[in-house]
Amino acid sequence: MIYDPSMTAVVVFFLFVGFTVGLSFYLGSKAKSSAGYFAAHGQIPWFINGVAFAGDYLSAASFLGICGMIAAYGYDGFLYSIGYLAGWIVALFVIAEPMKRLGKFTFADALDAKFNSPGIKAAAGISTLIVSVFYLIPQMVGAGVLIQPLLGFPHWVGVVLVGCVVITIVVTAGMLSTTWVQFLKGSLLVVFSAVLVVLVLQQGFRTDRNAFEIIGPLAVSDNNAETESNEANDLRTRIAQKTGRTLYRADAQSGAADASDGWSEFENYIRFESESDAGFDVFRIEQRDDGMYLTEAQAKTTTPDGKTLIGGLPKGTDNGERTLKPVGHLSRLPEEFNASDPDDGSTDASEETGSLGPIEFFDVLRRSEVTLWGSDRIAGTDGTVTTVYYQKPTAGSRVLRPGEHPRFAGIRSGRWTDRVNFLSLMLALFCGTASLPHILIRYYTVKDAAAARKSTIVGIASIGFFYVLTLYLGLGAMTSGTLDVTNSNMAAPLLARGISDLLFAIISAIAFTTVLGTVSGLILASSGAVAHDLLGGVMGVQFSEGNQVRVAKIAAVIVGAISIILGILFQNLNVSYLVGWAFSIAASANLPALVMLLFWKRTTAAGIIASVVVGMFSSLGWILLSADTFGKVYGIDPASSPIPFSQPGIVTIPLALLTLVVVSLMTQKAQATSKAR
């Protein structure tokens, strides 16, 4: 799709960003000490901190990735929401109050509270950096995704812009400004998402018969068996004759089997010369019960010199150019909403439901038929790569059941690896929430353990309500006719755009500040790990209050620059998928050590160090060697991966726990001797 920025969107966006940066400068004068910079002096009210939890946690993965996954596949995206929310139960009942009592500024403070071990600080500090960087990648990808339709800039410009703004926020005021940014964007995100859901329910569902062309049923069999060598026996030629359309020149060549663009290998596609321009129209050949059908598809080609072609023409909106059409519509509603054919003979007969209630929304969708989209990749010997996006009419009942997304096939798959992969992902999401460094350090911003518990409850309520809204937003986007077939991450903002330009501007600006709040928390956690844990705790560098803050700010700039680079490199991956990496590493490296420290008195410093190191590197190595990474990052055949399934949590979390127990039992005497001295 081509995104044309509107002046309304530009104005609203810069108002939001300007207010956010201005607030940071205003609060900067109150964060001169390390206690102020890293923990806002522990004076954040529990309700504000609870909503800030939601603002910190409801990242690009929640708003962009989950809504996009639901819009593309249905209920499966909501499984991420369930996993994310369930993890807060661990945070509430296990982590919240002990974290406040144990720590001061960073996650390493909590782990090292009883030992004063440079090794623990080193392991925890490195773990914080790795988890934060992996979590930063999807946030920066989401920033670039938002900037494209909002301002019309390329993806990399959006990534650089959010990086610069976030670095400014963190450098000027630290945790104080980060907390208020997260509180404001958390509040606005929940409120305006609720408004958008209300509008979706009022709008209801509507079919669109003219969205994409469907030709059929066709009878194209050749009854003359004696003319097999005749050109008319070629299926494509017979289809062209039957439809009265002209084959595209490449398909019309007698030697099409040797065509270098690779199309000839995909016999289920046919290209016609366009009736309106010099490009081609592509259709997918489908055999149904009542005959052969042609369903309109869309083709995007990348040439060896980096140019993008849509239907054989340059991508653009000028004469002689083309752009991909927006997608997402219902192909059939339940019978009670069917309209009779129009009297004038036109084909513009559509059905609509009118406004729907929250429960009725799901019932009507369950009995409808939704047009989802799949894709085929066609690689030519001339270096061209074409992605063909094709329609997949899908029963609404399938959209509302789990297991349609390839990543969740394990729910109904007969393969044990698929099932284990699904369980492993859910385990990582459940355990990862209470292990994320930027979430853990927020417990230090309130005054006592009771306030930590109350703020967690407020956070759970806000986050849970928002995740319910994402189901309506994703399904509403699926049927809105506004989706970008190449980019599922834009589902929610484009849904808003289909209703109102002003609402689109507000939702996109809020989503951008969502990225700002989360990224600022991550960079703050990383800078604390560098200045407080690694330099101060491990290397023994003695800082004054002012110098420690200054070093943390320099570290924030460096981490911010790294996140900008990674956000540009990983722009084509779904943000929820990327967040799964961070959760797996956090759950493996951090949670076993933290839980055992709190509840097993025989835990030793050596056990904690070993657990963090083993959990961190085993999960990281598993991810880097997985089939998903081979295919989506390295561009290597996924079948060559040595890992049986892609999600590591079900292996690496127990491995880290077992490592801690074994090493702690082996080092009991050594630790007792050390304490005696």
Side-chain angles (χ1 to χ4, degrees):
M1 290 177 62
I2 301 293
Y3 299 111
D4 296 320
S6 69
M7 184 55 65
T8 301
V10 172
V11 170
V12 171
F13 170 79
F14 281 108
L15 283 175
F16 269 78
V17 174
F19 177 78
T20 302
V21 174
L23 181 66
S24 298
F25 279 109
Y26 171 74
L27 297 172
S29 59
K30 303 180 181 181
K32 300 298 184 183
S33 67
S34 55
Y37 183 80
F38 292 119
H41 297 287
Q43 296 301 311
I44 300 295
W46 60 266
F47 180 81
I48 301 295
N49 197 55
V51 179
F53 264 133
D56 207 350
Y57 195 67
L58 298 179
S59 61
S62 295
F63 186 63
L64 301 178
I66 288 177
C67 287
M69 194 176 292
I70 294 173
Y73 294 96
Y75 179 81
D76 282 342
F78 193 61
L79 291 175
Y80 269 96
S81 299
I82 295 172
Y84 289 149
L85 182 62
W88 281 94
I89 304 302
V90 178
L92 175 62
F93 291 109
V94 179
I95 301 299
E97 295 185 36
M99 274 296 295
K100 176 59 184 175
R101 291 194 295 266
L102 286 175
K104 184 179 180 182
F105 296 149
T106 67
F107 167 63
D109 282 344
L111 285 187
D112 196 40
K114 299 179 180 180
F115 303 107
N116 192 27
S117 165
I120 290 180
K121 283 189 168 63
I126 294 172
S127 172
T128 296
L129 285 174
I130 291 177
V131 172
S132 297
V133 168
F134 269 85
Y135 205 98
L136 277 168
I137 295 172
Q139 313 310 318
M140 304 305 284
V141 170
V145 166
L146 280 168
I147 285 297
Q148 285 179 291
L150 193 63
L151 303 179
F153 294 152
H155 180 275
W156 70 268
V157 175
V159 174
V160 172
L161 180 59
V162 74
C164 293
V165 173
V166 165
I167 290 171
T168 301
I169 292 172
V170 174
V171 167
T172 51
M175 180 58 81
L176 192 59
S177 64
T178 296
T179 297
W180 281 102
V181 168
Q182 290 164 345
F183 169 76
L184 290 173
K185 68 100 168 178
S187 303
L188 292 172
L189 183 62
V190 172
V191 169
F192 277 94
S193 295
V195 170
L196 186 53
V197 168
V198 170
L199 294 175
V200 167
L201 293 176
Q202 287 182 344
Q203 185 172 272
F205 295 118
R206 183 179 187 274
T207 60
D208 188 352
R209 295 185 180 180
N210 296 325
F212 290 91
E213 190 175 359
I214 298 179
I215 303 173
L218 296 173
V220 294
S221 60
D222 185 6
N223 296 321
N224 187 357
E226 297 180 358
T227 58
E228 292 183 358
S229 61
N230 191 293
E231 184 180 349
N233 282 311
D234 178 75
L235 178 62
R236 288 180 171 86
T237 303
R238 297 201 304 271
I239 291 175
Q241 292 173 347
K242 188 70 176 179
T243 59
R245 306 179 75 154
T246 304
L247 279 174
Y248 188 60
R249 58 185 179 273
D251 289 356
Q253 293 172 351
S254 59
D258 298 323
S260 61
D261 60 7
W263 278 86
S264 58
E265 298 180 14
F266 285 76
E267 298 180 355
N268 55 335
Y269 290 113
I270 183 171
R271 290 179 290 178
F272 296 120
E273 288 187 3
S274 173
E275 298 175 354
S276 59
D277 53 43
F280 62 79
D281 300 325
V282 59
F283 287 81
R284 184 178 175 87
I285 304 172
E286 298 180 359
Q287 188 66 47
R288 301 181 184 177
D289 293 339
D290 57 343
M292 181 178 291
Y293 282 81
L294 303 181
T295 58
E296 184 181 357
Q298 304 191 78
K300 175 185 176 183
T301 302
T302 302
T303 63
D305 57 359
K307 295 180 180 179
T308 300
L309 306 177
I310 306 297
L313 293 176
K315 181 180 179 181
T317 56
D318 295 333
N319 290 334
E321 297 178 335
R322 274 193 180 189
T323 183
L324 293 172
K325 298 178 184 178
V327 304
H329 66 279
L330 288 176
S331 47
R332 178 177 55 79
L333 278 168
E335 291 185 3
E336 62 264 33
F337 300 107
N338 287 347
S340 58
D341 292 333
D343 296 331
D344 60 4
S346 70
T347 59
D348 192 22
S350 61
E351 299 87 33
E352 54 185 272
T353 63
S355 62
L356 298 169
I359 304 300
E360 188 183 12
F361 177 89
F362 296 110
D363 178 61
V364 172
L365 181 61
R366 177 183 61 83
R367 296 183 290 121
S368 301
E369 184 180 76
V370 186
T371 298
L372 302 181
W373 288 76
S375 64
D376 281 327
R377 184 176 182 271
I378 300 174
T381 58
D382 58 356
T384 60
V385 177
T386 300
T387 303
V388 183
Y389 302 96
Y390 61 88
Q391 301 179 63
K392 297 194 305 180
T394 306
S397 57
R398 290 190 60 179
V399 167
L400 294 177
R401 73 178 187 180
E404 295 302 312
H405 191 287
R407 200 170 306 139
F408 298 106
I411 295 175
R412 293 196 305 273
S413 172
R415 298 173 57 190
W416 71 269
T417 52
D418 290 340
R419 295 180 179 181
V420 170
N421 196 56
F422 171 74
L423 292 174
S424 187
L425 173 61
M426 291 296 104
L427 180 64
L429 298 181
F430 181 75
C431 297
T433 295
S435 316
L436 296 172
H438 69 295
I439 295 296
L440 293 173
I441 63 173
R442 182 150 295 289
Y443 286 114
Y444 301 142
T445 64
V446 292
K447 63 179 181 179
D448 53 34
R453 182 181 66 254
K454 292 177 182 177
S455 63
T456 305
I457 294 172
V458 172
I460 291 174
S462 303
I463 294 166
F465 178 61
F466 174 80
Y467 280 146
V468 172
L469 298 179
T470 61
L471 190 55
Y472 289 96
L473 293 176
L475 295 175
M478 174 188 285
T479 59
S480 65
T482 61
L483 289 179
D484 183 347
V485 72
T486 68
N487 190 346
S488 63
N489 291 326
M490 278 303 297
L494 290 177
L495 170 65
R497 190 178 198 176
I499 297 174
S500 162
D501 280 343
L502 178 60
L503 185 59
F504 164 70
I506 294 174
I507 289 291
S508 296
I510 292 173
F512 191 81
T513 56
T514 295
V515 176
L516 293 182
T518 303
V519 173
S520 59
L522 289 164
I523 291 180
L524 187 63
S526 301
S527 65
V530 173
H532 182 71
D533 301 333
L534 298 179
L535 293 180
V538 178
M539 299 181 183
V541 180
Q542 299 297 317
F543 292 116
S544 64
E545 288 279 327
N547 285 337
Q548 188 176 41
V549 172
R550 192 172 297 112
V551 170
K553 291 179 178 181
I554 294 172
V557 174
I558 296 173
V559 174
I562 293 173
S563 67
I564 289 172
I565 295 171
L566 294 176
I568 295 172
L569 294 177
F570 287 85
Q571 64 171 304
N572 293 322
L573 294 185
N574 181 280
V575 291
S576 285
Y577 170 77
L578 292 169
V579 164
W581 288 359
F583 271 70
S584 295
I585 298 172
S588 303
N590 297 345
L591 190 65
L594 186 57
V595 170
M596 295 302 283
L597 172 69
L598 296 175
F599 298 103
W600 193 43
K601 294 182 180 180
R602 302 182 71 180
T603 300
T604 65
I608 290 177
I609 295 170
S611 176
V612 172
V613 171
V614 169
M616 176 170 50
F617 287 106
S618 63
S619 58
L620 183 59
W622 191 288
I623 288 170
L624 295 177
L625 293 175
S626 69
D628 280 349
T629 307
F630 269 46
K632 296 180 180 180
V633 179
Y634 306 149
I636 303 175
D637 181 9
S640 62
S641 166
I643 302 298
F645 49 89
S646 294
Q647 298 294 334
I650 202 166
V651 173
T652 56
I653 295 173
L655 178 62
L657 183 63
L658 180 63
T659 299
L660 185 144
V661 172
V662 171
V663 174
S664 292
L665 291 176
M666 293 173 60
T667 55
Q668 289 290 311
K669 293 182 179 180
Q671 181 161 296
T673 302
S674 177
K675 286 184 177 181
R677 293 176 181 174

